[in-house]
Amino acid sequence: MGRRILAVLAVLTLLLAGCSKGAGGSGGGGGGDTDNVLTVGTTYYISSLNPFVGIETQDSTAYSMLYPQLLQYGPGLKLEGDWAESWDESPDGRTITFKLRDGQWSDGTPLTAEDAVWTIETIRKHAEGTTASMAKVLAGVGAAEAPDPRTLVIRYDQPMGPALANLQQMYVLPKHVWASHDTGEDGSGLTDFKPEQQLPVVSGGPFTITKYEDKGTTVFTPNPKFYGPKPHASAVALTYYTNPTAMIADLKAGRLGFVETVPFKDAAQLKSLQGVTIDSQPGNEVTNFGFNSSDAKKQNRELLDPKLREAFEYALPREQIVSTVFGGEAKPWADILSGWSGDWVNPKVQPLPNDVDKANQILDSLGYPRGADGVRQVPATTGERAQPAHPMRYTVIVPNDTDYDGHLQFTLLQSAFEKVGVQLVEQAGGDGTQAYELITAPDGKYEDADMFTWYWHPYLDPDFNLGVVTTSELNNNSDTGWSNPAYDALYEKQRTTVDVAARRDLVWQAQAEIANARPYIQIVETNLVTASSTGWTGFEPTLFTLGKAYYTSPRRA
């Protein structure tokens, strides 16, 4: 891996020299100085540079650096303007008017409000198809207008409580590049388009991308035409590591300036490493134990019973997972949101204790006796969805793109569930895209899978994450396949409630509903553990995926 970084720096020398000559040396980072290149190590990869396609955590960082956002999060996780200089909301809450900063796309084309209008209207036009992954952030939008190049007006059919927070998740695309791809049935050309095959990417953000490898190194080069604060680094080289041990070796050898995903179990021993600063703080990553909760499930349909899943939560060894898998850099957690959501988090949603006796008592009461081998048996059922008698033996899909040891966690789950007469079998899940296909198989019908382990980084406003388990997200953002009309109605009510206190009450109800139904059992909330070379300063780790300062702020010490 060290050789790869050295090769990347050699390529960067040529790239930066070209950028320096072609752009008059602007870009805020030192022209062709490879000593000023920020090398970043990660265990999150960029799956696509197309915002209509990408589903990985790191994708959001790339989109934030490439594309304008009306709003973003700044230091202290405060919502602030990005491309928007200011904004006003009408008294009835139905209209938001944005004044935009003067700017250009990286190819010199003017960046105007018309780009935002095209992006919004295109997402709305194909909201049931190719743009569904971004449609939820525009819920309630009835129209968008551009009275002049620097004014954007967004009109809502009804007031929306999370309107501004949701707009932080919308990436404005260059109309002159993307409009020609709005072709095919329901705009299928939009998802077929691969910006990574047309480098450098036409960008309106602080960086463009001049080199892309989904499972290798991607190079972010400053965009001299960016409307906001210029990056301090002459480039950012993001390297994906399948082997965290190799990443830590490169950190120790001084080949990395920043590691955004320090392996949890290595954090303690790295704190004494000379020339490296380890930062650990409460994070926003929540890990979970998910269930195929779709009524379309063909086998092992007893897993659809929330009471059975309650028993499984009692069997869950959260404290052991915290110490063994996360080296103490986590805490037991039960909420679909993270602690970063502050007052939106329902304080009454708490993890159940690890109580093997209670788990066994519930499973006994449900009529699942132990067989001669100690594995519980499920009696045969009758009716339309009848299934024969069978053992409580379930497959757990374990993705390999996690920032923790998913296999180790599985072995702890397997041992814990043996104590309650349940046999778990591990199935390799592959990367995020592959895991999602397995979890929702076949073809998004949610018929095959039993359970899975995974993680996510919930947004600060609760709307998106509460929406993941709605019926409208089936075969889109939903990985559990759970569908509950009463919950759907509650979700819609919270998003159309503008009064903060009233909306919070509804959000708390929604969290309690999810916690009781258990389409997921949340396992832990992890700390955010990063490492940086003492030769660099200015890092904003909490802005990972949330704000442009994540890459623009770091600078040489």
Side-chain angles (χ1 to χ4, degrees), residues 12 16 29 33 36-39 207 219-222 233-237 536:
L12 276 169
L16 296 175
D33 181 9
N36 202 38
V37 173
L38 176 61
T39 50
F207 294 89
V219 177
F220 295 80
T221 305
S234 59
V236 176
W536 288 84

Side-chain angles (χ1 to χ4, degrees), residues 89-218:
E89 297 182 68
S90 63
D92 64 1
R94 294 174 182 264
T95 303
I96 308 176
T97 302
F98 294 91
K99 292 298 180 182
L100 307 174
R101 303 179 197 276
D102 188 29
Q104 294 181 331
W105 296 99
S106 57
D107 64 359
T109 303
L111 167 61
T112 73
E114 189 57 40
D115 291 297
V117 170
W118 179 86
T119 301
I120 291 169
E121 295 301 339
T122 300
I123 292 172
R124 293 181 63 238
K125 180 170 63 172
H126 302 302
E128 299 299 320
T130 52
T131 64
S133 62
M134 289 182 65
K136 219 169 193 65
V137 305
L138 296 177
V141 172
E145 305 162 10
D148 62 66
R150 292 183 58 188
T151 303
L152 172 66
V153 180
I154 301 180
R155 303 190 188 280
Y156 288 81
D157 293 330
Q158 57 185 327
M160 300 293 289
L164 289 174
N166 281 351
L167 289 174
Q168 181 269 332
Q169 301 167 45
M170 186 189 78
Y171 306 101
V172 176
L173 303 174
K175 177 181 178 182
H176 67 287
V177 173
W178 283 78
S180 63
H181 298 284
D182 187 2
T183 59
E185 185 178 352
D186 200 19
S188 60
L190 292 168
T191 50
D192 291 338
F193 179 43
K194 295 179 171 55
E196 53 268 27
Q197 294 180 356
Q198 298 184 15
L199 301 182
V201 174
V202 175
S203 163
F207 294 89
T208 186
I209 287 180
T210 49
K211 180 179 185 292
Y212 169 79
E213 295 175 343
D214 61 344
K215 300 290 181 67
T217 296
T218 295

Side-chain angles (χ1 to χ4, degrees), residues 124-391:
R124 293 181 63 238
K125 180 170 63 172
H126 302 302
E128 299 299 320
T130 52
T131 64
S133 62
M134 289 182 65
K136 219 169 193 65
V137 305
L138 296 177
V141 172
E145 305 162 10
D148 62 66
R150 292 183 58 188
T151 303
L152 172 66
V153 180
I154 301 180
R155 303 190 188 280
Y156 288 81
D157 293 330
Q158 57 185 327
M160 300 293 289
L164 289 174
N166 281 351
L167 289 174
Q168 181 269 332
Q169 301 167 45
M170 186 189 78
Y171 306 101
V172 176
L173 303 174
K175 177 181 178 182
H176 67 287
V177 173
W178 283 78
S180 63
H181 298 284
D182 187 2
T183 59
E185 185 178 352
D186 200 19
S188 60
L190 292 168
T191 50
D192 291 338
F193 179 43
K194 295 179 171 55
E196 53 268 27
Q197 294 180 356
Q198 298 184 15
L199 301 182
V201 174
V202 175
S203 163
F207 294 89
T208 186
I209 287 180
T210 49
K211 180 179 185 292
Y212 169 79
E213 295 175 343
D214 61 344
K215 300 290 181 67
T217 296
T218 295
V219 177
F220 295 80
T221 305
N223 170 19
K225 303 184 188 305
F226 177 51
Y227 49 79
K230 308 302 182 188
H232 295 286
S234 59
V236 176
L238 176 72
T239 297
Y240 168 75
Y241 290 79
T242 56
N243 182 352
T245 301
M247 180 173 65
I248 296 304
D250 279 347
L251 173 68
K252 292 178 176 179
R255 289 187 284 263
L256 291 173
F258 183 61
V259 171
E260 62 185 15
T261 51
V262 172
F264 295 102
K265 59 186 180 181
D266 293 334
Q269 56 102 354
L270 288 174
K271 290 178 180 178
S272 61
L273 184 62
Q274 189 173 5
V276 171
T277 299
I278 299 295
D279 180 71
S280 176
Q281 58 184 304
N284 72 326
E285 179 178 310
V286 175
T287 69
N288 50 54
F289 189 32
F291 297 83
N292 180 349
S293 304
S294 170
D295 192 55
K297 181 173 173 56
K298 289 188 173 181
Q299 296 179 331
N300 297 329
R301 288 179 56 82
E302 66 277 5
L303 291 174
L304 301 178
D305 183 358
K307 192 65 179 179
L308 179 147
R309 299 198 291 249
E310 179 187 347
F312 282 11
E313 183 173 359
Y314 278 113
L316 202 67
R318 283 188 175 96
E319 294 287 357
Q320 185 184 20
I321 290 172
V322 166
S323 61
T324 305
V325 178
F326 295 94
E329 295 286 351
K331 64 181 178 181
W333 195 252
D335 205 296
I336 196 169
L337 305 180
S338 81
W340 283 14
S341 291
D343 290 344
W344 294 117
V345 178
N346 185 341
K348 293 183 179 180
V349 175
Q350 296 291 329
L352 295 178
N354 180 210
D355 188 334
V356 174
D357 290 340
K358 181 69 173 178
N360 277 313
Q361 177 187 346
I362 293 173
L363 293 173
D364 288 341
S365 71
L366 292 175
Y368 302 129
R370 290 180 185 263
D373 59 357
V375 177
R376 291 181 180 273
Q377 301 296 305
V378 179
T381 59
T382 59
E384 182 181 354
R385 299 295 181 91
Q387 57 182 4
H390 59 274

